[in-house]
């Protein structure tokens, strides 16, 4: 059967003087159809199609009985039960039928208004953004609204961590020039640490911030956006009226422009609810705010404990930062601000570090390692040996290449000889052994024993030289190997 619109067109064209054939050609209808509708004074009722038996009809009584007793039974569970009874239809048919018989509870909404200075609401929005390379990047909108005046504050961030969250909230309170008595938050982890029903345990960082500014935090009901519906609307309004089309802007530029949008558009447009301009109502509401505290430094920080590694590093949000070497292996307390990190030990500020965002970065400051104790026993042993005299380094390298006994043991044994024979005697013996390229502890020990038995065996340091007035003939001195002293010293 044709629609009512077709019948109206037929009647209209007939009134204009067109005959049945002309009407049929113009409306692309059969002439008999035109004649049938012209003969009608009103549109006939649509005849309903005869209902075709369904496969699920034989199991309806069973389904109703089960749902009446157990209203939360799933469609999949019902399907398995009736399939065992012989049902051959689809799961979709079961779901479709259950949707018609399950009891539905329609939510009833009630407008909720607050007194001046009573409440503000805060929430995050997730926005689309792109980096310079065209790839998607994280960007979030921090949204704040006063319940009475409807003044809005919006800011865009690249992080939702506690320090950023509190810094945004601090800037929002300074934007409105005071603090309301209550602020309603979503149930995010920066706000709620644990919750059982309407009993909420807030995070320590939020409570510390709330004490400074003098407001009471409140968490909205889970899965109940209407309890913070004003800020939910603000998130959508800012996205639709400002952010859409500006997602390509840089982080700094989008925040500069959103401030202009707040001052000139969002807070100067007449509210559909209050029928007033938000900025005008704000002047009335300010007298009910708690005054902002006079702070010498920001209260927007998160506090956490950490342990410094043996490499003098701490880890924060996937990045590593160096700290002064005196803090190595110690437990410290960190205060994480939006742009810096303060490291405390025993309640005293030890160092302030610039904070970087992102992941996998290592920020090393060379001055943190200046004057540190290396703890390198090998380097200390080398320094002690080389302090014997200029030739000691050459002799140390000769010991390493000689492969005559343990390298470290020989070095330590030679140094031990200094306690018995004195540093000067050991160094003189080392010089003598080096002349014959005999690099070993035994060589030095033999020379020292021979000198002990025959003090003239080694030349003594020359005394003051008198000026020579007569020519002295050149005398060639015979040099002897250290093995000679070993033979002489035998009985």
């Amino acid at each position: 059967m044709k629609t009512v619109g077709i019948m109206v067109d037929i009647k209209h064209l007939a009134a204009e003087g067109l005959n049945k054939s002309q009407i049929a050609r113009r409306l692309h209808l059969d002439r008999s159809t035109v004649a049938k509708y012209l003969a009608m004074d009103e549109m006939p009722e649509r005849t309903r199609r005869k209902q075709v038996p369904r496969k699920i009809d034989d199991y309806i009584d069973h389904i109703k009985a089960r749902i009446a007793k157990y209203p939360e039974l799933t469609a999949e569970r019902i399907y398995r039960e009736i399939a065992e009874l012989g049902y051959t239809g689809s799961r979709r048919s079961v779901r479709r039928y259950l949707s018609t018989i399950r009891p539905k509870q329609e939510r009833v909404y009630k407008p909720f208004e607050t007194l001046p200075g009573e409440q503000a609401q805060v929430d995050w929005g997730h926005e689309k953004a792109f980096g310079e390379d065209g790839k998607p990047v994280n960007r979030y909108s921090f949204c704040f609204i006063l319940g009475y005046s409807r003044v809005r504050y919006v800011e865009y961030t690249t992080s939702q961590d506690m320090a950023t969250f509190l810094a945004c909230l601090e800037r929002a309170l300074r934007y409105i020039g005071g603090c309301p008595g209550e602020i309603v938050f979503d149930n995010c982890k920066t706000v709620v640490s644990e919750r059982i029903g309407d009993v909420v345990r807030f995070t320590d960082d939020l409570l510390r911030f709330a004490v400074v500014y003098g407001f009471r935090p409140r968490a909205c009901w889970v899965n109940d956006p209407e309890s913070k519906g004003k800020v939910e609307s603000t998130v959508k309004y800012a996205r639709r009226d400002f952010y859409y089309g500006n997602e390509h802007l840089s982080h700094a530029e989008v925040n500069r422009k959103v401030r202009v949008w707040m001052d000139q558009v969002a807070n100067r447009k007449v509210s559909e609810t209050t029928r007033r301009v938000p900025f005008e109502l704000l002047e009335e509401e300010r007298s009910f705010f708690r005054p902002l505290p006079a702070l010498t430094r920001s209260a927007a920080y998160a506090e956490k404990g950490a342990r410094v590694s043996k490499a003098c590093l701490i880890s924060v949000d996937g990045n590593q930062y160096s700290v002064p070497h005196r803090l190595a292996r110690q437990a410290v307390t960190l205060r994480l601000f939006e742009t810096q990190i303060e490291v405390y030990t025993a309640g005293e500020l030890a160092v302030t570090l610039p904070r970087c965002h992102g992941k996998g970065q290592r920020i090393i400051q060379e001055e943190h390692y200046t004057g540190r104790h290396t703890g390198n026993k090998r380097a200390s042993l080398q320094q002690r040996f080389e302090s014997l005299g200029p030739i000691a380094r050459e002799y140390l390298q000769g010991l390493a290449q000689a492969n005559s006994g343990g390298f470290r043991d020989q070095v330590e044994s030679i140094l031990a000889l200094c306690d018995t024979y004195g540093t000067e005697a050991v160094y003189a013996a080392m010089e003598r052994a080096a002349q014959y390229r005999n690099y070993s502890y035994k060589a030095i020990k033999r020379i020292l024993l021979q000198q002990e038995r025959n003090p003239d065996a080694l030349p003594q340091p020359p005394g003051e030289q008198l000026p020579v007035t007569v020519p002295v003939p050149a005398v060639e001195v015979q040099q002897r190997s250290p093995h000679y002293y070993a033979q002489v010293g035998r009985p």
Side-chain angles (χ1 to χ4, degrees):
M1 186 171 61
K2 302 298 180 183
T3 64
V4 177
I6 293 296
M7 184 176 180
V8 172
D9 290 340
I10 292 173
K11 296 282 187 179
H12 175 70
L13 293 175
E16 290 183 351
L18 275 64
N19 59 33
K20 298 174 185 177
S21 299
Q22 292 171 332
I23 295 173
R25 284 195 298 270
R26 181 169 296 189
L27 299 179
H28 305 287
L29 299 172
D30 188 85
R31 186 176 179 280
S32 61
T33 301
V34 175
K36 181 180 70 173
Y37 281 100
L38 285 175
M40 294 180 182
D41 292 331
E42 59 183 20
M43 195 73 176
E45 293 185 3
R46 184 184 296 271
T47 57
R48 295 186 177 275
R49 294 176 57 185
K50 185 178 180 180
Q51 188 172 2
V52 179
R54 301 172 300 177
K55 294 180 179 180
I56 201 172
D57 289 343
D58 296 335
Y59 306 94
I60 286 178
D61 292 340
H62 173 83
I63 295 173
K64 287 181 177 179
R66 293 289 286 164
I67 292 299
K69 189 173 182 179
Y70 303 104
E72 302 300 324
L73 283 179
T74 64
E76 180 65 24
R77 175 81 173 271
I78 295 293
Y79 170 77
R80 291 199 302 269
E81 290 181 2
I82 62 177
E84 293 178 358
L85 299 176
Y87 173 68
T88 59
S90 65
R91 288 179 170 83
R92 183 180 179 184
S93 296
V94 176
R95 290 196 301 269
R96 189 163 48 239
Y97 177 72
L98 284 174
S99 67
T100 65
I101 66 171
R102 284 192 190 276
K104 296 182 180 178
Q105 295 181 352
E106 297 292 341
R107 297 187 63 177
V108 178
Y109 302 104
K110 178 183 177 181
F112 178 72
E113 296 300 330
T114 56
L115 298 174
E118 180 182 356
Q119 186 187 95
Q121 297 179 4
V122 170
D123 200 7
W124 287 103
H126 295 250
E127 312 298 344
K128 293 181 179 179
F130 302 92
E132 296 180 356
D133 56 359
K135 295 182 179 180
V137 296
N138 292 330
R139 183 175 287 173
Y140 311 97
S141 60
F142 172 87
C143 298
F144 173 100
I145 185 172
L146 287 170
Y148 177 75
S149 63
R150 299 303 203 274
V151 169
R152 299 177 174 94
Y153 177 84
V154 180
E155 182 178 345
Y156 293 90
T157 72
T158 57
S159 172
Q160 290 182 299
D161 63 21
M162 178 59 81
T164 303
F165 172 65
L166 294 179
C168 290
L169 182 55
E170 189 173 54
R171 287 189 284 269
L173 296 177
R174 298 197 178 280
Y175 180 77
I176 64 174
C179 184
E182 176 183 85
I183 300 181
V184 180
F185 301 94
D186 198 1
N187 290 274
C188 54
K189 64 181 181 180
T190 52
V191 174
V192 176
S193 61
E194 292 182 276
R195 178 171 191 158
I196 300 177
D198 61 350
V199 180
V200 178
R201 175 181 289 177
F202 295 99
T203 59
D204 293 340
D205 295 322
L206 177 65
L207 292 176
R208 182 171 48 247
F209 184 86
V211 168
V212 172
Y213 279 89
F215 67 86
R216 183 182 64 180
R218 185 165 72 84
C220 71
W221 282 98
V222 179
N223 299 323
D224 183 20
E226 286 73 31
S227 59
K228 57 180 180 64
K230 298 180 181 69
V231 74
E232 292 279 350
S233 298
T234 300
V235 172
K236 297 174 184 176
Y237 174 51
R239 181 180 296 143
R240 181 179 63 252
D241 196 73
F242 167 75
Y243 191 74
Y244 183 67
N246 288 326
E247 57 269 12
H248 62 283
L249 297 177
S250 67
H251 185 67
E253 183 67 11
V254 75
N255 275 319
R256 186 188 69 80
K257 286 195 170 186
V258 76
R259 184 62 177 260
V260 176
W261 175 79
M262 288 188 296
D263 293 343
Q264 300 181 3
V265 180
N267 294 322
R268 294 195 182 277
K269 176 185 175 183
V270 176
S271 169
E272 295 180 358
T273 304
T274 65
R275 304 298 180 184
R276 297 279 300 278
V277 175
F279 269 165
E280 294 177 358
L281 279 176
L282 179 62
E283 295 302 321
E284 302 175 10
E285 191 174 15
R286 275 202 178 109
S287 61
F288 296 91
F289 288 155
R290 290 163 174 77
L292 296 177
L295 302 175
T296 57
R297 54 183 311 196
S298 173
Y301 64 86
E303 192 169 280
K304 61 177 289 188
R307 179 166 289 276
V308 182
S309 71
K310 63 181 181 181
C312 309
L313 297 174
I314 58 172
S315 180
V316 178
D317 295 335
N319 297 315
Q320 291 185 317
Y321 302 81
S322 67
V323 298
H325 62 81
R326 69 178 185 276
L327 302 179
R329 297 181 175 88
Q330 292 188 29
V332 296
T333 300
L334 307 181
R335 287 188 178 180
L336 309 179
F337 292 83
E338 195 174 21
T339 58
Q340 68 184 32
I341 301 172
E342 293 181 353
V343 183
Y344 288 81
T345 176
E348 298 292 332
L349 178 62
V351 66
T352 299
L353 308 171
R355 186 177 183 182
C356 70
H357 296 281
K359 299 289 183 181
Q361 302 181 63
R362 176 176 286 184
I363 299 88
I364 303 295
Q365 298 186 39
E366 294 299 331
E367 60 268 24
H368 291 163
Y369 297 89
T370 303
R372 77 190 190 282
H373 173 61
T374 61
N376 191 332
K377 187 176 179 181
R378 188 179 299 275
S380 176
L381 186 62
Q382 177 184 0
Q383 292 171 1
R384 289 168 53 202
F385 192 86
E386 292 181 356
S387 67
L388 295 177
I391 203 173
R393 181 172 180 81
E394 174 190 338
Y395 203 84
L396 185 65
Q397 292 174 344
L399 283 171
Q401 298 172 3
N403 290 327
S404 56
F407 179 40
R408 172 178 290 275
D409 291 341
Q410 291 201 74
V411 172
E412 291 177 340
S413 298
I414 293 173
L415 289 173
L417 292 174
C418 297
D419 298 334
T420 305
Y421 297 96
T423 302
E424 292 183 0
V426 172
Y427 183 70
M430 184 186 301
E431 284 185 312
R432 190 69 174 171
Q435 290 179 2
Y436 293 94
R437 309 182 70 81
N438 193 347
Y439 301 106
S440 69
Y441 159 75
K442 293 181 179 180
I444 295 177
K445 183 64 179 291
R446 283 196 298 267
I447 295 174
L448 290 170
L449 289 173
Q450 179 60 31
Q451 183 186 13
E452 187 178 26
R453 293 170 182 168
N454 183 6
D456 297 329
L458 288 178
Q460 299 297 322
E464 183 179 356
Q465 299 290 329
L466 297 175
V468 180
T469 57
V470 295
V472 179
V475 179
E476 189 171 325
V477 180
Q478 179 181 3
Q479 295 188 358
R480 296 176 177 175
S481 167
H483 296 291
Y484 165 78
Y485 298 100
Q487 298 292 332
V488 172
R490 291 176 181 173

